[in-house]
Amino acid sequence: MAPSRAVASVLLLGRRFTAPSVLLRNLQTPAPFRIPNRLMSSTGHQRVLVLGSGYVSEPVVEYLTRENDTHITLVSAVKSEAETLADKYQNTQAVILDVQQQQKDLEQLVKDNHLVISLLPYTLHPLVAEMCIRQKTNMVTASYKTPAMAQLHNSAVEAGITVMNEVGLDPGIDHFLAMECFDRVKTEGGKITSFVSWAGGLPAPECADNPLGYKFSWSPRGVLLNTLSQAKYLQDGQVVSIPAGGSLLESTRAMDLHPGFDLEGFPNRDSTIYSEPYGIQTAQTLLRGTLRYKGYSSACIGLQKVGLINTGNRPFLAPQAPTLTWRDMLCNLLDVTTDVSDEALKVAILDKVGGEEYRLQVMEKLGLLSSEPVDKQTTPLDTLSNYLAKKLAYGAGERDMVLLIHLIQIERSDGSRFEEKVSLLQYGDPQGYSAMAKTVGYPTAIASRMILNGAIQEKGMLVPFQKTVYQPILDRLKQENVQAQYSMEEL
């Protein structure tokens, strides 16, 4: 919730986490483009173009190909990944193509399909949407309807196409579950007085075995960069603003949300913008936040303070610069000589991180004081991200976890007050889909199927806030064993 709640990428873009589908590794030079033969011969079938072959793509392809009349063209710049996935499912073929470098070829594919599902980084969605508008092809994304996408609304309406956004996990399932409660309460004559939502994509507790209590299936850059974001939320009728640059994690609070989980949370982006689209202007508290295991925020504050989460270029991190170790890198960031004693270096780090021994210990356990050579990536943030992507990756047999919890305070027409708790806890399957892949991929696929079958006909840049959209998706998610739990407590 990808992230977001951070996105990583893909990353966690938007609120918390929106999983990316194209990894920035193992890219291969695309082969000369050819219009797939299948597109020439599949007249009468539903043709779907899926952009991206990464972690969330397989549930999308698997779900859509359950129906024999659906043909999938899977576009990716990662040849082995795309072809392996395409070979697993009927009526599916891979096209190796760089969507930015081969835009003319991509647009031909858009023209030849009935629906485009973009699982690319969100920054590429407007490019794809403009092609869909020109070719009058419907589109689905699991990402936020950004201002750049919203600007295309009138053009999409004029083209007569549906572009459905925010049908992943976060954004997506979080919206569905919230709107389901809001609409029910309003129908019964009540009102929403408070909405607090927490979500996190985390390793399962038994796999949270590193100093951050966090692991990555994609580039950590977005997750780390999100720790510097600004945030705004409504608390008891007052707007609370947190400036960008490092103050966000200082607002972290302990979370007693689920038995057995030692969690903490911090606000995410601007929660106040949801008052109107959610239709809960009566709410005096409105907050959407990110969940992490306890200790994550303090650890990241330490990384911030020593300069490791910094996007500025550093000469000593240039690819052609002399070889250096992680210890050398910290010395450079702290402006101390590299021949300083280990004890003196630790004193310098402690001074920088506010005297917090825990933050120093995290750096030691992550190997940031070691003599291991640094794979230089120009900036401290990119260098650290590249390192953590390998060091904190999921291992064989490990599983992830998604936890989404809404706390909704309600005042009924008779004046009685209650808090409804809506909880979604999903574990990944080491032999199957990760929790993130399943909870992003399936709702995306279900919304796509609804558009293909004519169940969604509204035109323009849409979000899934209507009951006619979110309720069928929730019902079908239950068939995939993705289902929330509900409880009510009188206040």
Side-chain angles (χ1 to χ4, degrees):
M1 256 180 66
S4 209
R5 309 169 185 172
V7 164
S9 106
V10 159
L11 301 152
L12 291 212
L13 303 170
R15 163 151 82 143
R16 308 163 189 130
F17 38 76
T18 300
S21 48
V22 177
L23 298 180
L24 303 180
R25 57 175 172 81
N26 297 331
L27 293 183
Q28 302 178 30
T29 301
F33 179 77
R34 294 176 299 169
I35 297 176
N37 292 331
R38 179 185 57 71
L39 293 180
M40 306 291 193
S41 60
S42 60
T43 302
H45 295 286
Q46 294 177 323
R47 300 189 300 275
V48 180
L49 186 66
V50 176
L51 305 181
S53 60
Y55 292 102
V56 305
S57 301
E58 185 167 355
V60 174
V61 173
E62 180 271 318
Y63 187 93
L64 291 175
T65 54
R66 292 177 189 177
E67 296 192 15
N68 293 331
D69 68 344
T70 301
H71 289 242
I72 305 290
T73 299
L74 184 64
V75 170
S76 175
V78 187
K79 187 177 192 303
S80 59
E81 186 177 76
E83 292 181 345
T84 298
L85 176 54
D87 287 345
K88 292 178 66 173
Y89 297 98
Q90 65 172 353
N91 300 328
T92 302
Q93 69 173 24
V95 171
I96 311 308
L97 181 150
D98 186 309
V99 299
Q100 290 179 288
Q101 299 300 319
Q102 298 171 274
Q103 293 183 26
K104 186 175 181 179
D105 297 330
L106 176 61
E107 186 149 359
Q108 180 63 51
L109 288 171
V110 170
K111 179 181 179 180
D112 290 335
N113 282 271
H114 299 116
L115 176 74
V116 176
I117 301 173
S118 180
L119 300 172
L120 301 170
Y122 80 107
T123 53
L124 296 177
H125 291 336
L127 169 69
V128 177
E130 289 173 352
M131 293 181 186
C132 288
I133 289 168
R134 287 193 294 269
Q135 302 304 330
K136 296 180 168 50
T137 302
N138 294 324
M139 178 178 172
V140 172
T141 85
S143 304
Y144 283 93
K145 186 179 78 172
T146 60
M149 290 292 279
Q151 288 177 1
L152 298 173
H153 173 73
N154 290 338
S155 297
V157 172
E158 291 171 6
I161 68 168
T162 298
V163 182
M164 180 62 73
N165 304 273
E166 306 191 19
V167 284
L169 165 65
D170 179 1
I173 294 176
D174 57 342
H175 294 328
F176 311 154
L177 294 174
M179 292 304 302
E180 181 184 48
C181 177
F182 301 158
D183 286 346
R184 184 184 68 250
V185 169
K186 292 176 187 176
T187 299
E188 295 170 352
K191 64 180 181 180
I192 306 300
T193 59
S194 174
F195 174 64
V196 177
S197 173
W198 298 100
L202 300 162
E206 72 275 13
C207 301
D209 53 1
N210 66 66
L212 290 185
Y214 199 81
K215 290 189 176 180
F216 301 95
S217 298
W218 53 81
S219 169
R221 190 180 196 278
V223 176
L224 296 174
L225 194 57
N226 189 62
T227 65
L228 300 176
S229 297
Q230 61 184 2
K232 183 161 58 171
Y233 60 96
L234 187 66
Q235 183 72 50
D236 298 324
Q238 301 295 315
V239 174
V240 179
S241 295
I242 300 172
S247 300
L248 178 64
L249 297 184
E250 301 288 356
S251 67
T252 297
R253 62 189 79 172
M255 296 280 106
D256 183 18
L257 293 174
H258 200 284
F261 294 157
D262 196 6
L263 300 168
E264 62 185 27
F266 49 89
N268 190 282
R269 307 290 181 174
D270 185 355
S271 299
T272 65
I273 62 174
Y274 287 90
S275 177
E276 184 174 343
Y278 274 172
I280 54 171
Q281 293 89 337
T282 54
Q284 294 298 295
T285 295
L286 178 51
L287 185 154
R288 288 160 46 100
T290 299
L291 288 176
R292 294 287 185 261
Y293 288 119
K294 188 175 181 181
Y296 172 88
S297 293
S298 181
C300 286
I301 289 172
L303 298 177
Q304 289 176 1
K305 289 184 177 297
V306 297
L308 283 167
I309 305 180
N310 188 296
T311 59
N313 291 349
R314 294 291 186 272
F316 56 84
L317 292 176
Q320 68 274 17
T323 299
L324 80 164
T325 67
W326 279 100
R327 187 184 188 281
D328 295 336
M329 180 173 166
L330 274 180
C331 288
N332 276 281
L333 291 173
L334 295 171
D335 198 24
V336 299
T337 59
T338 55
D339 60 357
V340 68
S341 69
D342 289 347
E343 194 59 37
L345 176 58
K346 291 179 182 180
V347 169
I349 293 172
L350 280 172
D351 182 62
K352 202 73 173 177
V353 301
E356 294 283 349
E357 287 278 354
Y358 173 75
R359 295 170 182 170
L360 171 61
Q361 292 169 8
V362 166
M363 293 180 208
E364 288 186 284
K365 291 178 181 178
L366 287 176
L368 302 182
L369 276 70
S370 73
S371 57
E372 180 179 344
V374 171
D375 183 359
K376 303 182 294 297
Q377 301 290 323
T378 306
T379 75
L381 173 62
D382 290 304
T383 301
L384 179 64
S385 296
N386 181 63
Y387 175 70
L388 294 183
K390 301 168 186 174
K391 190 170 185 67
L392 304 186
Y394 282 92
E398 294 188 330
R399 61 179 185 161
D400 69 332
M401 175 187 85
V402 163
L403 180 61
L404 168 65
I405 294 181
H406 292 334
L407 301 173
I408 307 169
Q409 293 187 8
I410 301 160
E411 184 177 316
R412 292 179 174 168
S413 56
D414 62 3
S416 60
R417 299 175 62 246
F418 295 83
E419 180 174 83
E420 181 167 354
K421 183 178 181 180
V422 184
S423 305
L424 176 70
L425 175 61
Q426 195 81 32
Y427 286 102
D429 177 0
Q431 308 306 317
Y433 300 140
S434 68
M436 185 66 72
K438 190 172 185 178
T439 53
V440 174
Y442 277 146
T444 299
I446 293 168
S448 299
R449 175 60 66 198
M450 291 173 68
I451 293 174
L452 288 168
N453 292 349
I456 299 174
Q457 296 195 4
E458 185 179 352
K459 309 305 179 186
M461 288 286 161
L462 310 180
V463 287
F465 290 178
Q466 301 89 354
K467 187 172 184 178
T468 54
V469 175
Y470 71 71
Q471 196 63 62
I473 299 179
L474 284 174
D475 292 342
R476 295 175 195 182
L477 282 172
K478 291 177 184 177
Q479 299 172 19
E480 309 302 327
N481 296 316
V482 178
Q483 183 172 0
Q485 303 297 318
Y486 304 82
S487 63
M488 187 81 76
E489 179 179 328
E490 188 170 5
L491 296 175

